[in-house]
Amino acid sequence: MNDASAAPLRGGAVGSVTAVLAAAAHGMAGGGYPDGSAVALLVVISLGIGALTALPRRSTVLLPALMGGQLLAHLGLSMSDMGSMHSHSILPSAAMIGFHAAASVVAGLLIAAAERLYGPITSIVRAVLALLTPLPDGSAVGRVRFSVAVSSVHGTVLDWAISRRGPPVSVY
């Protein structure tokens, strides 16, 4: 699969994985799970990262985009729950850095594998579906040709509406 056709799929995958993994890694490390405005901020960050990654010729920035998305999501989640009782420092702990980094690496490997396997898998699915649903045969019963439909108009009520006269002939 070429890079131009993979770009929107990669962007969507990076954007959605950024949101899900940031929320999960943030919650597992003790930062709490997002709610309310934190979710809205996480969606905006994920859409931005996904849109940047969806540009063609950006497959080499997959892991940096995921890491950057995790960093921005962490900052956004830390800033959004500053007023709550379980807030924590903007600087992440070692456990939180580990969870965000591990999530980024695993997600990057999965997205790269899915991108490489998309073409072969869809070609196999298309080949199997072509075997299961063959194209209709041209000699199928009940098929009406255009010439038959036009010739059947002669002698009907609308015969007066069809002109058989050609353009005028020049008499020079």
Side-chain angles (χ1 to χ4, degrees):
M1 177 170 62
N2 62 13
D3 191 55
S5 63
L9 297 172
R10 181 179 50 249
V14 168
S16 59
V17 163
T18 295
V20 170
L21 291 181
H26 200 79
M28 288 175 64
Y33 293 100
D35 59 349
S37 63
V39 171
L41 185 60
L42 193 58
V43 167
V44 169
I45 290 169
S46 299
L47 286 174
I49 293 293
L52 288 175
T53 313
L55 297 173
R57 304 281 179 215
R58 299 284 185 211
S59 62
T60 57
V61 297
L62 182 62
L63 190 59
L66 285 166
M67 292 276 198
Q70 293 296 305
L71 176 66
L72 288 174
H74 169 78
L75 290 175
L77 290 173
S78 297
M79 297 290 274
S80 66
D81 62 334
M82 289 293 267
S84 66
M85 297 181 79
H86 64 281
S87 68
H88 58 283
S89 167
I90 291 178
L91 297 175
S93 65
M96 193 162 303
I97 290 174
F99 280 119
H100 283 299
S104 296
V105 170
V106 169
L109 291 172
L110 290 175
I111 291 172
E115 191 174 341
R116 303 237 332 123
L117 292 175
Y118 177 77
I121 288 174
T122 55
S123 65
I124 291 170
V125 168
R126 277 181 283 186
V128 169
L129 290 178
L131 292 175
L132 296 176
T133 57
L135 294 174
D137 187 14
S139 64
V141 178
R143 184 173 178 164
V144 178
R145 295 188 178 199
F146 184 69
S147 61
V148 174
V150 171
S151 65
S152 66
V153 174
H154 297 297
T156 63
V157 178
L158 296 177
D159 197 26
W160 60 271
I162 300 173
S163 173
R164 312 246 175 347
R165 183 171 168 246
V169 177
S170 176
V171 187
Y172 296 113

